[in-house]
Each structure stands twice: as C-alpha cells, then as structure tokens.
Amino acid sequence: VLPGVPAPPRAVHAEQVEENHAVVSWRAPDNGGRPIVGYDLRLEGAVAEPPQLLSVEGWSTWCKLSGLQAFTGYRISVRAKSEIGYGEWSTPALFRTSPGLPGPPVNLRATNITADTASLLWDPPRNNGGSVVTQYRVHGTVT
C-alpha cells in the first residue's frame, strides 16, 4: 500500500473564547502512512474579508488565535500536512467571540445647573463593544 495524504483532522472546536482571542484544538487524523509535519488553519470571519491562513508546525493539535473582533462569528477549518502533501480540510467549527467593553459616552454636558445640583446628559458610545449598553455608572467629585 502506497502512502497517501493525511485524512482531515477531527473534532475541531474553539475553547477559551474571549473578546479578541480563542484557542482552537482538534484531534490528529490518520496520517496516511507518513508522519504529520504540521497543520494549516483557515479562519473566516462573519464580515466580508478574505479567509486567513495560519500554519502550525510539528505535532501540536492546538493554536491560539489573536486579534479577533469582539462579538463576531468565525468559522475555522484545519487540514494536516505530511511529506506527501496536504489532506482535505476538516468539517468547519463555528464560534463567536464574546462582547468587548463599550467606549465612553460622548457629548457629555451639564444642564439645569444650580448651587447644589446639575443634570448630566450624554449620547451613547460610538463603539458599544458589540452588545447593547444597558447601564451607565456616573462618578463625580466636588471641587
């Protein structure tokens, strides 16, 4: 029997998913008769941009993905590489990063100013971190 390319990796999944990074892991596939020397990962985001290709050299069956966008859906596929060539891509795994922190409110202004009180008004942050802002905390000092 002649050696062939590796089979697709199995059980691809994302874990430790946060707002701008995730760890992707998988189970090593059948090697086709030759040692696996690395893996390629294909990362596709929910926004219209070309897929990113990443490489993992050696036997490692995990990769930390950094620089992800908060509260964004991603699709990741993995393929194995041997000296014979590349195997087929795995079944893709889907994951969504967690929301990030919102930016500060904008256009802060005081109205109805008296000797003892003032009303504060503001507009929502320009960047909501990928989720609806549901609460504001106001802190102040007397000068």
Side-chain angles (χ1 to χ4, degrees):
V1 175
L2 293 175
V5 297
R10 299 164 295 170
V12 177
H13 66 282
E15 51 196 36
Q16 300 174 27
V17 179
E18 302 210 6
E19 72 179 83
N20 58 11
H21 66 270
V23 174
V24 175
S25 61
W26 57 90
R27 289 184 46 204
D30 176 79
N31 64 14
R34 292 283 191 243
I36 292 173
V37 296
Y39 295 91
D40 284 348
L41 289 80
R42 181 175 57 202
L43 178 67
E44 300 172 83
V47 294
E49 56 185 52
Q52 286 183 288
L53 293 177
L54 307 159
S55 293
V56 175
E57 298 299 322
W59 295 62
S60 182
T61 56
W62 67 275
C63 178
K64 183 174 181 178
L65 305 174
S66 298
L68 303 177
Q69 294 181 353
F71 206 58
T72 301
Y74 288 94
R75 176 183 171 117
I76 187 88
S77 302
V78 182
R79 68 179 178 181
K81 176 175 65 170
S82 72
E83 63 185 37
I84 303 294
Y86 291 98
E88 295 292 320
W89 289 103
S90 68
T91 300
L94 305 175
F95 68 95
R96 177 177 293 281
T97 52
S98 59
L101 295 174
V106 294
N107 300 324
L108 177 64
R109 55 210 179 271
T111 63
N112 302 326
I113 301 169
T114 70
D116 300 322
T117 64
S119 295
L120 296 177
L121 301 171
W122 58 83
D123 294 327
R126 289 188 181 97
N127 173 6
N128 66 8
S131 186
V132 176
V133 176
T134 59
Q135 179 179 340
Y136 293 92
R137 289 194 179 153
V138 178
H139 298 274
T141 58
V142 177
T143 58

